[in-house]
Amino acid sequence: MSHCELEDITLHLNDRISSTRRVLELRTIAKDQDKRVILGKIGQDILAIDGLLDQFEKSVGRQKDLLKHLKELEGFFEEDVQDGKNLRDNMPTHMPRKGQPAVHGIGSVGQSGPVNVQAVQQVHTRKTSKNQIREMEFITSPEFDTIPQYMKGRLTYEQLNTAVESINTAVTGKYKILNQPAKTLNNATRKLHQRFKEEENKDTKGLFFIVEADIKEFTKMKVDKRFQSILSMLRHCQRLREQRGGGITRYVLL
């Protein structure tokens, strides 16, 4: 039922109620033989009004159900928009930008073939060699296909590699500070350096790891249920493992 039809029913109900009220007022001055006819008329009007009210109530119920469904759709659309903004703001380095040529051998967005893993690894090998900081390798298309659907949910291949890029950003940001001489650090980076050291233990020696605080410090990625799903997929693809201790969960690069 449309909005105009609901307005028509409302006006009709008001008219019937007004008419019934007038009949009730006239009953007091009617003759006795006419009162039975008037009461019958009133009864018919009340039944008609009751039927219209029932129809009106059902229509309102349907509109409420429709509104609830539209609200759910709005939530899904807002989530997709947020995912799109996150992908735009955290574009992986292995994906070509507008006006820039694609890195030779690395699959670009829209290609049906898998990413050239060797080319990606070579890019990161050069970067690691220069900075002495290890980075997580991107997920390949065949690897993504092995992830169970219940893990992936609505997350796409590009979004997962965007998360990999964010994790690499956090790792790089953390270990650049750790690799700096203490005397060159300002107050803010000195506090971070101290926290990084406190989070280390005998089991993390020689390993590269981050914690949730590092994700919040160096990236725009949200640490929420979606983040936990991403971690599950990365564990499945053997990109990281968790190490717990001292009330801290460490995400160690493999």
Side-chain angles (χ1 to χ4, degrees):
M1 184 176 294
S2 66
H3 178 70
C4 293
E5 289 175 324
L6 287 175
E7 287 185 346
D8 292 340
I9 290 179
T10 303
L11 292 173
H12 185 63
L13 279 171
N14 290 333
D15 291 342
R16 297 299 292 268
I17 292 172
S18 298
S19 177
T20 302
R21 186 181 294 112
R22 284 195 296 271
V23 172
L24 284 170
E25 292 172 352
L26 290 173
R27 185 188 64 172
T28 58
I29 62 174
K31 296 179 181 180
D32 291 339
Q33 60 268 26
D34 295 331
K35 287 184 178 181
R36 182 176 298 175
V37 176
I38 292 174
L39 289 174
K41 173 65 174 174
I42 293 174
Q44 292 176 358
D45 287 343
I46 291 175
L47 287 174
I49 292 173
D50 184 66
L52 288 172
L53 286 173
D54 184 62
Q55 183 180 1
F56 190 84
E57 184 177 3
K58 290 180 180 178
S59 179
V60 170
R62 288 192 294 269
Q63 294 295 326
K64 286 182 178 179
D65 291 339
L66 178 60
L67 179 61
K68 180 180 178 181
H69 179 64
L70 291 174
K71 285 288 186 181
E72 292 175 351
L73 288 177
E74 182 183 23
F76 290 139
F77 286 133
E78 288 178 352
E79 184 179 342
D80 288 338
V81 170
Q82 188 61 40
D83 288 343
K85 289 181 179 178
N86 185 58
L87 180 61
R88 179 197 64 192
D89 297 337
N90 300 278
M91 188 70 72
T93 55
H94 71 286
M95 297 173 66
R97 267 66 167 181
K98 183 177 180 181
Q100 294 181 349
V103 179
H104 180 69
I106 301 181
S108 60
V109 178
Q111 285 183 325
S112 58
V115 175
N116 187 317
V117 185
Q118 185 177 2
V120 175
Q121 291 176 348
Q122 288 174 353
V123 171
H124 285 283
T125 299
R126 289 194 296 270
K127 189 173 182 180
T128 301
S129 176
K130 179 181 178 180
N131 298 325
Q132 297 299 312
I133 297 174
R134 182 174 180 178
E135 293 189 351
M136 183 183 296
E137 297 176 1
F138 291 109
I139 304 299
T140 65
S141 182
E143 284 179 309
F144 186 77
D145 292 339
T146 68
I147 301 174
Q149 186 59 45
Y150 76 88
M151 282 190 185
K152 290 189 286 191
R154 300 171 61 195
L155 201 77
T156 65
Y157 170 73
E158 288 79 11
Q159 289 169 338
L160 181 57
N161 273 324
T162 296
V164 171
E165 183 72 13
S166 295
I167 291 174
N168 285 336
T169 298
V171 172
T172 301
K174 172 183 177 177
Y175 284 93
K176 276 185 177 180
I177 293 176
L178 279 174
N179 290 341
Q180 289 183 38
K183 62 182 180 180
T184 64
L185 301 175
N186 57 32
N187 289 335
T189 53
R190 189 176 293 111
K191 290 180 180 179
L192 287 174
H193 188 279
Q194 182 178 354
R195 175 172 68 80
F196 298 154
K197 286 296 186 181
E198 291 174 351
E199 291 167 349
E200 294 178 348
N201 57 33
K202 60 183 180 63
D203 297 323
T204 62
K205 187 176 181 180
L207 302 177
F208 288 86
F209 72 91
I210 56 172
V211 298
E212 290 186 359
D214 301 327
I215 292 291
K216 297 176 182 178
E217 179 71 34
F218 297 106
T219 76
K220 297 180 180 179
M221 188 163 59
K222 293 182 179 179
V223 180
D224 51 14
K225 290 183 178 180
R226 185 169 179 266
F227 175 71
Q228 296 302 322
S229 298
I230 289 171
L231 292 178
S232 296
M233 287 185 277
L234 294 178
R235 286 196 298 269
H236 175 83
C237 295
Q238 299 183 352
R239 290 298 191 275
L240 58 76
R241 63 179 174 87
E242 291 185 5
Q243 183 191 101
R244 301 175 186 271
I248 301 173
T249 301
R250 303 166 182 83
Y251 305 109
V252 182
L253 272 62
L254 297 177

